[in-house]
């Protein structure tokens, strides 16, 4: 029996949704034909202190300049909090569900307003001013949202570093943007285990004297070292300040946040997002893609350390006055039913998660899902990597009981919000396809020479014109911004992804075509992992590639050449794995390390990754032409030792 390959929009869903098929077509058409009129209208969905008179002023040529609503002024925290007080002060803004199922909390918009205002005053008391950078290294607790919004309120630029990153990675990110202040917690709690956040900050700051204050939230009460001159307890400082704070007046193009993300070369870059366009886009996509309606309980399982958490846990939902659920834990603690139990406990209507979580839970069978009700669910979403049709069908059939549309949302840290996605009332779904572009988004498929490919085709995915949520620059390095995104295909934003477009115009993202790998939905640059490996005193050279992995989507495969005289022992293999975890963080843990007496290189010394990818994937028959290699025997050696390992 073959599975259905098309899931049409049901009449019931279309009738209740913001947008049906006809409306999608009309709105899309207007959005690309007359972006000024379209966004001029939709920009009004947020409150402006001074209304904008200019809408779009963007160019992907030359110096690349992207400005939206440029003469308007507003404040993101005002829009996410203050403007809701009159109508929904007593409504829950954030439902917090702890790692431990016995712990949860409801925070109303009024409470959120008080916390954010106080924390804004704490920041000011610490000398933080408009334009200053603040690093946030927190677990998934409400204080993470307070911290983001407090920065936005005073006009400081936040840079969140995911709690799974090592002290070294944290150090790099603090120094790159020159943060003066760090907000962290004593410890995080995930799956019953403690994460030593404050200790990691202490280590990172040994080398970063520029940080003059650290605000520490007490989460577990665990023991932490204390630097009297620098460290402050969050609860003490919050009690000292007033609960009145006037939101700073921000220009639409004033920076809101920096978020570091991996690319194909060098260290992670600071993706910079600004105020007005970002918020309009995050809020609008949140409403239309998830078909968010007043009163819905909405849950995105991402961590605020990733862009998904920024746009779809905090900024988009709160700008819309939604109730957003924030989950501290993991999908399999205390049991593999946890997600579904949380859905029942809080009557979640809209659920947004990642394929890697779906695949892991699918492996546990239907029983842990079926013992829960999930009757509240209306819509399911997926993000972070391509979802394989098998996982899609399981998500749809088992989790959603065949009742809920799935929005497979393709986007990136750089795009600020969702670019390609079904709208549940308008676009029928094909399992594994991100389907069609959101309003204002003009995808284009090009071959490696940049020739535009029409109709059903496959190639490199570009976007030809700007949308309001687009990143504006790489923090401190505009040249790198131009080089990375606008130079491969001149005048177009190159996504780094490959895609196929089918005969219905649906887009199927096939994965990265550059040296970025996607492990469980987390982006890693192969160059970063290589440079961590070669920093080890026994390693001469390393090459890292992704390979297909059942649960993670891609796994990390490292080829390592040792210094002369070093023995390739099992012990050293373990040591290198631990080393990379220490250098970058657990998300970069290599899955396989293969000893490589030599690496396949061209005569000019370039490592032939294409070949290494094939060997890692066990596709030995399809290695292609190896005659241009400096030493073709290297490949035979690698293949035979790969085969011996199975
Ligand atoms: C939001 C986010 C971006 C990369 C992107 C692509 C992959 C994300 C996807 C998807 C296929 C989807 N990706 N969503 N691939 N289908 N629905 O994940 O941002 O961490 O920057 O990663 O993730 O390869 O280029 P980010």
């Amino acid at each position: 029996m073959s599975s259905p390959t098309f899931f049409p929009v049901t009449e019931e869903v279309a009738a209740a949704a913001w947008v049906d098929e006809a409306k999608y077509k009309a709105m899309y058409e207007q959005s690309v034909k007359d972006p000024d009129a379209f966004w001029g209208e939709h920009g009004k969905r947020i409150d402006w202190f001074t209304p904008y008179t200019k809408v779009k002023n963007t160019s992907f040529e030359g110096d690349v300049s992207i400005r939206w609503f440029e003469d308007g002024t507003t404040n993101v925290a005002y829009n996410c909090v203050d403007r809701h007080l009159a109508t929904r002060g007593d409504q829950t803004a954030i439902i917090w569900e702890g790692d431990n199922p016995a712990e949860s909390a409801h925070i109303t918009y009024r409470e959120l307003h008080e916390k954010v205002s106080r924390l804004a005053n704490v920041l000011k008391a610490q000398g933080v001013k408009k334009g200053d950078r603040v690093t946030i290294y927190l677990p998934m607790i409400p204080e993470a949202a307070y911290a983001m919004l407090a920065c936005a309120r005073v006009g400081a630029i936040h840079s969140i570093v995911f709690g799974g990153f090592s002290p070294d990675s944290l150090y790099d990110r603090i120094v790159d943007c020159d943060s003066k202040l760090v907000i962290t917690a004593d410890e995080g709690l995930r799956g019953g285990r403690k994460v030593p956040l404050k200790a990691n900050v202490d280590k990172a700051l040994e080398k970063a004297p520029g940080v003059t204050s650290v605000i520490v939230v007490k989460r577990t009460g665990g023991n932490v070292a204390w630097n009297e001159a620098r460290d402050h307890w969050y609860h003490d400082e919050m009690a000292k300040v007033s609960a009145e704070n006037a939101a700073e007046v921000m220009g639409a193009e004033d920076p809101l946040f920096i978020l570091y993300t991996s690319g194909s070369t060098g260290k992670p870059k600071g993706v910079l997002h600004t105020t007005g366009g970002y918020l309009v886009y995050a809020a609008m996509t949140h409403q239309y893609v998830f078909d968010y309606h007043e009163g819905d309980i909405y849950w995105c399982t991402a961590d605020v350390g990733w862009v998904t958490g920024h746009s779809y846990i905090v900024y988009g939902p709160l700008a819309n006055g939604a109730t957003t659920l924030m989950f501290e834990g993991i999908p399999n603690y205390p049991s593999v039913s946890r997600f579904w139990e949380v859905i029942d406990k809080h009557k979640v209507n809209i659920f947004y998660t990642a394929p890697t979580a779906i695949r892991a839970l699918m492996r546990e069978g239907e029983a842990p899902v079926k013992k829960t009700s999930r009757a509240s669910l209306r819509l399911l979403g997926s993000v972070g990597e391509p979802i394989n049709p098998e996982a899609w069908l399981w998500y749809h059939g088992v989790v959603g009981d065949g009742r809920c549309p799935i929005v497979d949302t393709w986007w990136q840290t750089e795009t600020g919000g969702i670019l390609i996605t079904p709208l549940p009332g308008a676009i029928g779904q094909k399992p594994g396809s991100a389907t069609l572009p959101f309003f204002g988004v003009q995808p284009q498929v090009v071959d490696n020479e940049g020739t535009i490919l029409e109709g059903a085709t496959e190639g490199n995915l570009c976007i030809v014109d700007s949308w309001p949520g687009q990143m504006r620059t790489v923090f401190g390095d505009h040249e790198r911004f131009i080089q990375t995104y606008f130079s491969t295909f001149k005048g177009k934003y190159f996504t780094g992804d490959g895609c196929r477009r089918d005969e219905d115009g649906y887009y199927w993202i096939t994965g990265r075509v550059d040296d970025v790998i996607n492990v469980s939905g987390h982006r890693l640059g192969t160059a970063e992992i290589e440079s961590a490996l070669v920093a080890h005193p026994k390693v001469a050279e390393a090459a890292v590639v992704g390979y297909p992995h059942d649960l993670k989507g891609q796994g990390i495969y490292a080829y390592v050449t040792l210094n002369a005289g070093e023995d390739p022992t099992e012990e050293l293999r373990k040591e290198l794995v631990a080393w990379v975890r220490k250098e970058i963080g657990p998300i970069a843990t290599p899955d396989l390390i293969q000893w490589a007496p030599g690496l396949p290189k061209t005569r000019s010394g370039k490592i032939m990754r294409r070949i290494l990818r094939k060997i890692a994937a066990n596709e030995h028959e399809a290695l292609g032409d190896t005659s241009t290699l400096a030493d073709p025997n290297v490949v035979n050696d690698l293949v035979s030792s790969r085969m011996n390992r199975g």
Side-chain angles (χ1 to χ4, degrees):
M1 209 177 77
S2 70
S3 306
T5 51
F6 186 66
F7 291 78
V9 174
T10 63
E11 267 172 46
E12 199 190 335
V13 171
W18 289 111
V19 177
D20 62 12
E21 188 181 353
K23 192 163 176 203
Y24 166 72
K25 286 187 171 148
M27 282 175 78
Y28 182 78
E29 177 114 334
Q30 194 211 3
S31 73
V32 297
K33 278 209 175 123
D34 193 351
D36 277 303
F38 183 86
W39 291 111
E41 188 53 37
H42 289 283
K44 294 183 196 152
R45 63 177 302 124
I46 67 167
D47 288 2
W48 296 86
F49 299 154
T50 329
Y52 48 85
T53 62
K54 292 184 198 158
V55 177
K56 181 174 186 289
N57 180 6
T58 68
S59 164
F60 286 0
E61 311 277 345
D63 274 350
V64 183
S65 154
I66 299 160
R67 309 181 72 77
W68 285 89
F69 313 112
E70 59 186 303
D71 59 349
T73 65
T74 184
N75 181 287
V76 167
Y78 176 88
N79 273 285
C80 291
V81 187
D82 305 42
R83 71 162 169 161
H84 302 310
L85 291 179
T87 49
R88 57 179 92 242
D90 296 322
Q91 183 203 305
T92 300
I94 299 173
I95 299 176
W96 177 72
E97 170 74 15
D99 186 55
N100 174 345
E103 277 191 279
S104 59
H106 284 68
I107 296 120
T108 64
Y109 273 95
R110 202 177 315 286
E111 288 162 335
L112 182 63
H113 180 251
E114 193 207 316
K115 301 284 189 192
V116 172
S117 303
R118 280 187 190 275
L119 189 50
N121 285 332
V122 170
L123 293 178
K124 282 183 143 178
Q126 294 297 325
V128 173
K129 291 184 300 293
K130 182 172 174 175
D132 287 351
R133 275 76 63 200
V134 168
T135 295
I136 300 175
Y137 187 63
L138 280 171
M140 285 290 288
I141 52 178
E143 287 79 0
Y146 307 160
M148 295 163 78
L149 292 163
C151 287
R153 195 170 189 89
V154 303
I157 308 168
H158 62 70
S159 161
I160 307 190
V161 179
F162 173 59
F165 278 119
S166 68
D168 281 343
S169 299
L170 176 61
Y171 164 83
D172 284 344
R173 288 159 171 78
I174 288 172
V175 169
D176 184 82
C177 69
D178 193 17
S179 285
K180 297 276 179 302
L181 185 139
V182 176
I183 307 177
T184 190
D186 49 1
E187 295 172 313
L189 207 52
R190 284 186 90 232
R193 279 192 277 186
K194 290 175 174 171
V195 187
L197 297 173
K198 170 67 164 61
N200 287 350
V201 170
D202 289 339
K203 248 183 245 162
L205 295 190
E206 281 169 14
K207 301 178 285 175
V211 172
T212 47
S213 353
V214 178
I215 310 273
V216 188
V217 178
K218 191 174 265 183
R219 168 66 190 106
T220 64
N223 270 331
V224 289
W226 207 254
N227 175 339
E228 285 295 340
R230 187 196 68 189
D231 301 344
H232 309 272
W233 284 111
Y234 167 90
H235 54 268
D236 287 343
E237 300 308 311
M238 290 286 275
K240 284 184 205 159
V241 295
S242 131
E244 303 293 317
N245 177 282
E248 195 75 31
V249 176
M250 304 297 288
E253 286 299 337
D254 282 337
L256 176 64
F257 67 85
I258 299 168
L259 184 56
Y260 286 87
T261 195
S262 298
S264 47
T265 55
K267 292 211 169 183
K269 45 187 172 301
V271 166
L272 185 93
H273 283 286
T274 58
T275 296
Y278 170 81
L279 193 65
V280 167
Y281 198 77
M284 185 165 172
T285 46
H286 173 261
Q287 178 188 333
Y288 287 95
V289 175
F290 301 106
D291 197 40
Y292 169 76
H293 285 80
E294 186 77 32
D296 281 339
I297 308 290
Y298 162 88
W299 180 18
C300 164
T301 70
D303 190 286
V304 292
W306 310 114
V307 74
T308 306
H310 285 63
S311 301
Y312 299 114
I313 294 178
V314 178
Y315 290 124
L318 295 180
N320 289 338
T323 298
T324 183
L325 194 151
M326 196 172 177
F327 177 44
E328 185 181 30
I330 55 175
N332 57 0
Y333 177 84
S335 85
V336 293
S337 292
R338 185 69 192 275
F339 271 0
W340 328 123
E341 285 164 0
V342 173
I343 288 171
D344 285 352
K345 177 174 174 185
H346 298 293
K347 303 281 173 291
V348 171
N349 307 112
I350 302 168
F351 178 68
Y352 189 32
T353 195
T356 187
I358 298 166
R359 286 193 298 266
L361 294 171
M362 183 173 146
R363 198 172 57 158
E364 306 290 340
E366 295 187 11
V369 189
K370 291 300 179 191
K371 71 177 209 201
T372 62
S373 151
R374 289 155 289 106
S376 57
L377 283 178
R378 204 187 71 230
L379 181 83
L380 302 171
S382 172
V383 61
E385 54 178 316
I387 180 166
N388 46 312
E390 203 192 348
W392 195 103
L393 291 164
W394 188 83
Y395 197 24
H396 188 266
V398 179
V399 176
D401 287 320
R403 185 166 46 73
C404 309
I406 296 182
V407 291
D408 174 0
T409 63
W410 173 85
W411 59 296
Q412 309 178 298
T413 304
E414 294 86 339
T415 69
I418 295 163
L419 294 198
I420 302 183
T421 178
L423 297 188
I427 301 169
Q429 300 122 59
K430 300 182 188 184
S433 171
T435 77
L436 298 175
F438 191 74
F439 307 129
V441 175
Q442 300 182 58
Q444 195 173 73
V445 184
V446 302
D447 69 12
N448 290 343
E449 281 65 54
T451 309
I452 300 167
L453 304 173
E454 307 283 357
T457 188
E458 184 163 349
N460 304 297
L461 178 62
C462 294
I463 311 290
V464 296
D465 200 0
S466 185
W467 61 99
Q470 185 171 23
M471 74 182 283
R472 304 302 198 249
T473 191
V474 170
F475 182 77
D477 196 349
H478 195 66
E479 194 48 42
R480 190 169 175 202
F481 175 60
I482 301 170
Q483 276 305 319
T484 309
Y485 303 106
F486 301 92
S487 67
T488 317
F489 305 109
K490 282 247 167 305
K492 296 169 200 200
Y493 170 76
F494 176 42
T495 63
D497 279 316
C499 83
R500 182 164 75 77
R501 186 174 50 216
D502 70 16
E503 50 294 333
D504 298 321
Y506 276 39
Y507 291 86
W508 301 70
I509 310 299
T510 50
R512 301 289 302 200
V513 293
D514 53 12
D515 289 325
V516 171
I517 51 183
N518 190 326
V519 181
S520 300
H522 300 151
R523 268 169 77 165
L524 290 161
T526 52
E528 271 172 87
I529 308 172
E530 287 163 7
S531 82
L533 282 166
V534 295
H536 188 281
K538 292 184 180 167
V539 174
E541 202 169 24
V544 170
V545 297
Y547 75 103
H549 188 290
D550 282 350
L551 287 181
K552 301 180 181 180
Q554 279 190 301
I556 301 175
Y557 197 108
Y559 296 87
V560 171
T561 309
L562 294 174
N563 286 328
E566 297 296 349
D567 279 339
T569 60
E570 205 39 48
E571 206 187 337
L572 180 55
R573 199 194 298 274
K574 287 196 188 119
E575 187 181 320
L576 291 180
V577 169
W579 174 269
V580 175
R581 287 174 65 97
K582 180 186 95 39
E583 291 275 307
I584 304 176
I587 57 167
T589 308
D591 294 280
L592 287 165
I593 291 186
Q594 178 173 350
W595 304 120
L599 291 170
K601 292 186 185 164
T602 60
R603 291 194 187 107
S604 63
K606 259 191 135 192
I607 295 174
M608 300 274 281
R609 287 161 188 288
R610 173 178 60 80
I611 292 175
L612 293 176
R613 276 194 282 266
K614 293 262 153 96
I615 297 175
N618 268 323
E619 292 171 9
H620 305 140
E621 291 74 38
L623 290 183
D625 184 10
T626 56
S627 61
T628 55
L629 289 174
D631 178 4
N633 285 327
V634 163
V635 172
N636 299 336
D637 290 349
L638 290 178
V639 169
S640 53
S641 60
R642 169 72 169 131
M643 298 220 291
N644 292 339
R645 303 199 55 205

